[in-house]
Amino acid sequence: MFIQAAAGISPQPSFGALLTEPASYAGNRLSCIEPDYSQLIDPKMIRRMSRIIKMGVAAALDCLKTSATEMPGAIITGTAYGCLADTEVFLSKMIENGEELLTPTAFIQSTHNTVGAQIALLLKCHSYNNTFVHRGFSFESALLDAVTLLQEQHASTVLVGGIDELTDTSFALLSRFGLYKKDISSSKTLYDGAAKGTIAGEGAAFFLVAAKHSGKDYAQLNGLYTFYKPRDITDIEKNIQSFLSDHAIGMDDVDLVITGQNGNVHEDAIYEQLAQTTFKGKANAVFKHLCGEYPTATSFALWLAANIIKAGVVPSCTLVNSNNKHPRRILIYNHYQNTHHALYLLSAC
Amino acid sequence: MADLKQQIIAQLNLKDLKPEDIGDDQPLFVEGLGLDSIDALELIVLLQQEYKIKLANAEEGQDVFRSVRTMAQYIREHQPKTV
């Protein structure tokens, strides 16, 4: 499967050069840097869109524009939290108005599939449209569906994206669960020290994927694999080795490993152990200091990996270990709360 | 009518418009302001919330929501009397 284009709206300047001037944040919450949507979306439609819908639709449209594709063969999205802001408006109005006088717009747009539906409405795309909501596997499920559609030749191109937003309410609730660090001065220091908690993030990343090589692809996605609640580190190592073996390669064939460290000492312990075994001596890049932690953060990692292969350069702000090698094959390994583990293998075309 | 225009702008999130941009007799739907069926539902909610008026018959909507003037007239005729 080939990635013809990748576009994202994230806490980083996403539409310009690749992370040449990375944004850093004070505190434990990263918010997306949003573009001027009126340049991308019909103003008549913008008025009804909440922030996540605008982020998702704008990223999708930019992705299509980059690939010079007017109509994808299918639209698939993955989101864990869905359209939280509209859900909050709808639920608040229910309470305020005694379950009467509910605003239809917030209700209609509170469903998880709103972003995919809005993209389809804008494009007048009547093809396959699906949304996956599976916590830390939401984006992987969407991508797996895209792979299946392409392999079974139900579509020649698929627009697939991962989207999640953070609202004041969700941030407050997730903070109460102890997910985020309480005393972090800057996102740049996310990996310093050995404390519990991470930083909150959000983002929208879209990809136009195709079964056939177009000659201008960002990268080839050779494989995707997920595993749930591994027993121990040995189990994780076995899964990684088996994934590579399935693609007839070993770690020596991988130029760069992108891993999902999020600053939480308990969760990062897995990556640290792998750095001493399976990933020992490999060039390593990290990304969650740039986008924060959220269930579909792997969509940001895939956006980053595809751009690294396309540009042939690893942004210095992501590198932990470098071998100064032009990366032609990248392995992404991420886990979400040590329950949802995902592996991606990409290579240059 | 200026208040009603302001309420319509707020309810429908017509951020680029000011009350003076909406003509008293300008059609609200299709060729006028370009509102659609979801906006019609929002306007029904507005009537209930702001003026305690329940649109008795959905078919009335076409005449009531023709313009700001027809809406204002309907409100005047149907607003509950305060003692």
Side-chain angles (χ1 to χ4, degrees), chain B residues 1 11-12 14 70 75:
Chain B
M1 274 200 279
Q11 186 82 12
L12 306 182
L14 301 164
T70 57
I75 291 166

Side-chain angles (χ1 to χ4, degrees), chain A residues 81-254:
Chain A
Y81 297 139
C83 299
L84 283 177
D86 275 321
T87 305
E88 286 170 19
V89 169
F90 178 67
L91 293 177
S92 301
K93 294 271 180 198
M94 272 182 88
I95 297 164
E96 281 168 26
N97 300 334
E99 298 187 21
E100 288 187 352
L101 304 175
L102 304 175
T103 56
T105 304
F107 169 60
I108 293 165
Q109 303 200 155
S110 65
T111 57
H112 284 69
N113 61 347
T114 304
V115 174
Q118 286 288 337
I119 297 165
L121 277 170
L122 264 166
L123 300 176
K124 296 186 172 55
C125 175
H126 301 283
S127 306
Y128 182 90
N129 194 306
N130 207 351
T131 295
F132 290 84
V133 183
H134 296 307
R135 290 193 69 200
F137 284 159
S138 301
F139 177 62
E140 284 73 20
S141 304
L143 204 52
L144 198 59
D145 194 23
V147 172
T148 310
L149 279 182
L150 294 174
Q151 281 181 350
E152 294 182 353
Q153 298 178 345
H154 292 302
S156 56
T157 58
V158 179
L159 182 65
V160 56
I163 31 196
D164 268 310
E165 73 173 325
L166 195 68
T167 64
D168 290 345
T169 308
S170 70
F171 178 70
L173 288 171
L174 294 169
S175 296
R176 271 165 45 188
F177 295 147
L179 254 60
Y180 307 126
K181 289 185 187 297
K182 285 183 181 153
D183 50 357
I184 179 167
S185 57
S186 164
S187 55
K188 281 182 182 170
T189 63
L190 178 64
Y191 310 113
D192 298 348
K196 283 197 295 185
T198 180
I199 49 173
E202 59 177 11
F206 271 83
F207 306 85
L208 190 79
V209 293
K212 290 182 183 162
H213 184 33
S214 73
K216 51 181 183 176
D217 302 308
Y218 278 46
Q220 184 173 3
L221 181 66
N222 307 101
L224 162 68
Y225 182 68
T226 57
F227 53 103
Y228 185 68
K229 286 189 178 175
R231 283 187 303 278
D232 50 28
I233 191 74
T234 311
D235 198 13
I236 295 169
E237 286 168 350
K238 275 185 189 164
N239 273 292
I240 296 170
Q241 295 295 356
S242 146
F243 175 66
L244 295 174
S245 301
D246 287 347
H247 294 89
I249 60 166
M251 272 315 295
D252 289 344
D253 301 305
V254 173

Side-chain angles (χ1 to χ4, degrees), chain A residues 43-44 46-49 54 93 97 100-106 108, chain B residues 11-16 33-36 38-39 41-42 45 48-49:
Chain A
K44 272 187 184 167
I46 289 179
R47 72 184 169 94
R48 280 214 195 103
M49 293 180 178
K54 284 187 277 193
K93 294 271 180 198
N97 300 334
E100 288 187 352
L101 304 175
L102 304 175
T103 56
T105 304
I108 293 165
Chain B
Q11 186 82 12
L12 306 182
N13 200 21
L14 301 164
K15 280 179 186 162
D16 296 335
L33 274 188
L35 305 186
D36 58 22
I38 299 173
D39 295 314
L41 292 170
E42 293 281 4
V45 171
Q48 267 184 273
Q49 246 169 355

Side-chain angles (χ1 to χ4, degrees), chain B:
Chain B
M1 274 200 279
D3 285 349
L4 180 57
K5 287 177 187 174
Q6 190 59 58
Q7 287 161 354
I8 292 171
I9 288 169
Q11 186 82 12
L12 306 182
N13 200 21
L14 301 164
K15 280 179 186 162
D16 296 335
L17 288 183
K18 294 184 196 117
E20 54 268 32
D21 296 330
I22 305 173
D24 294 351
D25 295 302
Q26 184 183 0
L28 294 177
F29 289 84
V30 195
E31 80 272 27
L33 274 188
L35 305 186
D36 58 22
S37 57
I38 299 173
D39 295 314
L41 292 170
E42 293 281 4
L43 292 178
I44 291 170
V45 171
L46 185 150
L47 284 185
Q48 267 184 273
Q49 246 169 355
E50 299 292 332
Y51 300 100
K52 315 288 177 236
I53 298 172
K54 236 178 182 171
L55 210 63
N57 183 356
E59 284 169 15
E60 278 182 304
Q62 214 170 351
D63 293 325
V64 176
F65 299 133
R66 182 157 293 150
S67 65
V68 175
R69 191 186 298 280
T70 57
M71 267 186 84
Q73 194 178 337
Y74 187 83
I75 291 166
R76 274 195 295 272
E77 287 167 7
H78 293 81
Q79 203 167 15
K81 303 272 182 300
T82 49
V83 181

